[in-house]
Amino acid sequence: MPRRIEAVLFDLLMAVMDSPAVWALAAGDAERGMAWRDAVTARMVRSGRYRPYEELVASEARALHLPPSSVDRLWSAWRVMDPRPDADAIGRLALPYAFVTNCSTILAAEAARRSGLDPSFVLSAEEAGVFKPSPGIYLMACSGIRSAPERTLFVAGAAYDAAGARAAGLSAALVVRRPLRDALDGRIERLRGLDEVHRVIR
């Protein structure tokens, strides 16, 4: 990251919040929960343009033969989602920061509220009109935080998200929240936790 970073954007649901625990609770176990979440993510990546998040969630639940009650349990669990144990490091940043997420606006606001943090704003895919990793959502977030892409760090919780930010011209870091399946772009910083964000801002 050769240029000085002036602002930081965080993926909300994987990097900052413990959303996998919510999906696991809704699906009945961690493996099925992540399979459901990954199926929704795959649909979003293929779609590009925003489609109602809640509809994608319900559609993929049916495709995986999960009971209809799973969706209701997900929305109930969403309201008590916990931040990651290392999320408090974000509050110690000396730079402006914001959250970017692929869910609907109302769900993004609820997750951000549960974080206990005070971002400059929360940008949902619904507001942006596109899902990550489409470049537009990252660039809209840069505009919102008044920082040029090359001077903005995006901290992702998933490799595809970090790669999307990098392709949009941002510096990118990945907090490794689950084992990586593929090699990571060498230009993307790998972090063990959010407390390491400080060391990559320069």
Side-chain angles (χ1 to χ4, degrees):
M1 298 181 187
R3 301 191 181 190
R4 184 167 62 87
I5 298 300
E6 296 178 346
V8 187
L9 302 171
F10 291 89
D11 165 62
L12 177 57
L13 295 178
M14 275 296 282
V16 179
M17 302 300 291
D18 188 9
S19 65
V22 168
W23 290 85
L25 182 62
D29 66 64
E31 185 175 347
R32 287 202 301 173
M34 286 307 293
W36 183 14
R37 189 186 190 284
D38 287 346
V40 173
T41 298
R43 285 281 298 277
M44 293 188 295
V45 170
R46 291 196 303 270
S47 296
R49 294 176 64 87
Y50 182 77
R51 295 179 55 193
Y53 180 76
E54 290 84 348
E55 291 180 11
L56 292 181
V57 167
S59 175
E60 291 307 314
R62 291 191 296 271
L64 292 171
H65 306 292
L66 295 172
S69 58
S70 298
V71 177
D72 292 333
R73 286 199 300 270
L74 180 67
W75 306 141
S76 294
W78 200 284
R79 292 194 291 270
V80 293
M81 189 188 305
D82 290 324
R84 301 281 189 173
D86 54 5
D88 60 351
I90 297 173
R92 298 193 294 272
L93 284 175
L95 298 177
Y97 68 89
F99 296 153
V100 186
T101 181
N102 262 348
C103 66
S104 65
T105 300
I106 192 169
L107 292 174
E110 182 64 25
R113 184 187 68 80
R114 291 286 303 169
S115 77
L117 295 164
D118 188 26
S120 297
F121 59 85
V122 181
L123 178 62
S124 68
E126 181 178 10
E127 292 173 279
V130 293
F131 289 116
K132 297 180 292 179
S134 297
I137 191 168
Y138 305 103
L139 298 178
M140 185 179 291
C142 289
S143 178
I145 208 163
R146 299 182 179 181
S147 177
E150 64 271 17
R151 294 191 181 277
T152 306
L153 172 67
F154 186 86
V155 180
Y160 85 92
D161 203 3
R166 193 70 189 83
L170 288 72
S171 294
L174 172 67
V175 181
V176 182
R177 298 301 194 190
R178 59 192 300 195
L180 293 174
R181 297 177 180 175
D182 301 304
L184 192 65
D185 185 326
R187 298 171 300 173
I188 297 171
E189 293 273 357
R190 184 182 301 204
L191 310 179
R192 290 174 295 181
L194 291 170
D195 52 332
E196 292 191 355
V197 171
H198 297 269
R199 75 167 172 78
V200 299
I201 296 172
R202 54 179 180 266

